[in-house]
Amino acid sequence: MLAQKTTFYERLQSCPELDMRDTRGKRHDLSVVLIGVCLGLLSNRDGNLSSLHRHMVNTYPKLRAHLGLSQPQAVSRSQLPLILRDVNLPVFEQLAFECYGIRLSEGERHWFSVDGKELRGSILKGDKRGEAVVEAVGQREGRAIGQVFYNGTKESEIPAVRDLLLKSGISNQNISMDALHLNPETLRAVEKARGGYLVGLKDNQPELLAEMNWLKKQSKPTFQAEQSEKGHGRVEKRAYQSFDVRGAYFDKRWMACGLQTLVWVQRSRWMCKTAEQSEETALFLSNIRPDNEAQAKDLFDAARGHWAVETTHHIRDVSLKEDALRTKKTKYQRPPRP
């Protein structure tokens, strides 16, 4: 590699378009934060934000002494995702390539299913809603990596999911969500962070649903696949198709969401004992455009894998009997938030 006149740290410092934060109230130098993140990744951290932050805190005294920094402490865990959210990633990627010949790989993204569950044992007499939890569950390992709570009588799941994406630091990963979260503000946040999403499309967005159904009839699928499995006394077949929607009409409120692909899924189920048959169709929208069969399969698998979060909820309901829980207090008190 050719000798460089300036270090990577100096390049970060002298790049004003890298920091997209508001100029008011800046406490931490973005170049220092990015150096800490890079050191954590180079130290074989797994990419989990909490793991990276622990490494940043442990190495900050040496980094501070070496660079002559005035800030006495490293960035906090709560501030880290807020700062990283406003990084101009294309600029940072270009600097990393120019200095080290490395491009940030989008192939390392993981799929996370995000969904909410009503804690029905917390519903007081006379109320229809109670405390609820929103979880982000890794589709690969089936482990919850973050959760937030909200009160269903006063709050909504939609802002709770946005809060979870921010606090867990997975906005730049691949997120699957149900149709409730087909919302421009939520999708724009993931698109801005250069993450991917796969979100259900139902009649809660009637105009968009009608447009996508029309497009499906007029277009040929870009990729398609079939899957079948037998278990639990039934045979289930699933047919997948993807369609390029970049030329479709979208209302201006969807313009910054990066909608590119429609995924159409048809499920057919046959019960072995009763010979009962059923069919259902599901539609999903995504900002990911598959270029080959492997990428299309990954998108199709994500549609199937979204039910990983439903599986964890089933375990809590059936094994832990959470829905049968009733509070002993006459006046329910919200548990402290983590």
Side-chain angles (χ1 to χ4, degrees), residues 202-240:
K202 293 183 178 179
D203 53 8
N204 62 325
Q205 298 287 350
E207 294 183 1
L208 192 55
L209 178 60
E211 176 69 18
M212 293 300 101
N213 279 323
W214 180 87
L215 182 140
K216 179 186 177 298
K217 294 178 181 179
Q218 303 298 321
S219 307
K220 292 183 178 180
T222 53
F223 297 97
Q224 51 189 349
E226 291 186 357
Q227 295 177 354
S228 62
E229 60 183 30
K230 180 179 180 180
H232 304 286
R234 63 178 180 261
V235 176
E236 186 169 303
K237 295 182 179 180
R238 293 178 296 273
Y240 299 91

Side-chain angles (χ1 to χ4, degrees), residues 272-333:
C272 299
K273 287 186 176 181
T274 63
E276 181 182 352
Q277 298 185 42
S278 62
E279 285 191 0
E280 61 177 339
T281 301
L283 281 78
F284 300 86
L285 285 171
S286 177
N287 64 339
I288 300 172
R289 182 170 61 89
D291 293 323
N292 51 56
E293 290 186 1
Q295 293 176 0
K297 183 179 182 300
D298 184 62
L299 205 55
F300 299 156
D301 288 344
R304 171 65 172 166
H306 177 70
W307 303 109
V309 68
E310 297 292 344
T311 302
T312 64
H313 290 171
H314 176 77
I315 292 172
R316 296 173 65 170
D317 291 339
V318 177
S319 301
L320 303 182
K321 301 186 183 302
E322 193 170 77
D323 283 350
L325 175 66
R326 292 295 180 268
T327 177
K328 299 295 184 182
K329 297 182 179 180
T330 57
K331 186 177 181 181
Y332 183 76
Q333 297 178 355

Side-chain angles (χ1 to χ4, degrees), residues 23-83:
T23 57
R24 298 169 294 180
K26 287 185 180 179
R27 291 183 53 199
H28 295 277
D29 187 347
L30 179 64
S31 56
V32 175
V33 174
L34 292 178
I35 286 292
V37 170
C38 290
L39 289 175
L41 292 173
L42 292 172
S43 299
N44 294 322
R45 295 288 170 163
D46 59 6
N48 181 277
L49 206 59
S50 295
S51 177
L52 288 173
H53 181 257
R54 287 194 295 272
H55 185 272
M56 293 170 68
V57 171
N58 293 336
T59 58
Y60 186 76
K62 294 182 180 179
L63 188 64
R64 181 189 178 197
H66 181 73
L67 299 178
L69 305 175
S70 59
Q71 185 70 24
Q73 294 180 335
V75 61
S76 68
R77 173 61 179 82
S78 60
Q79 283 184 302
L80 182 58
L82 299 178
I83 294 176

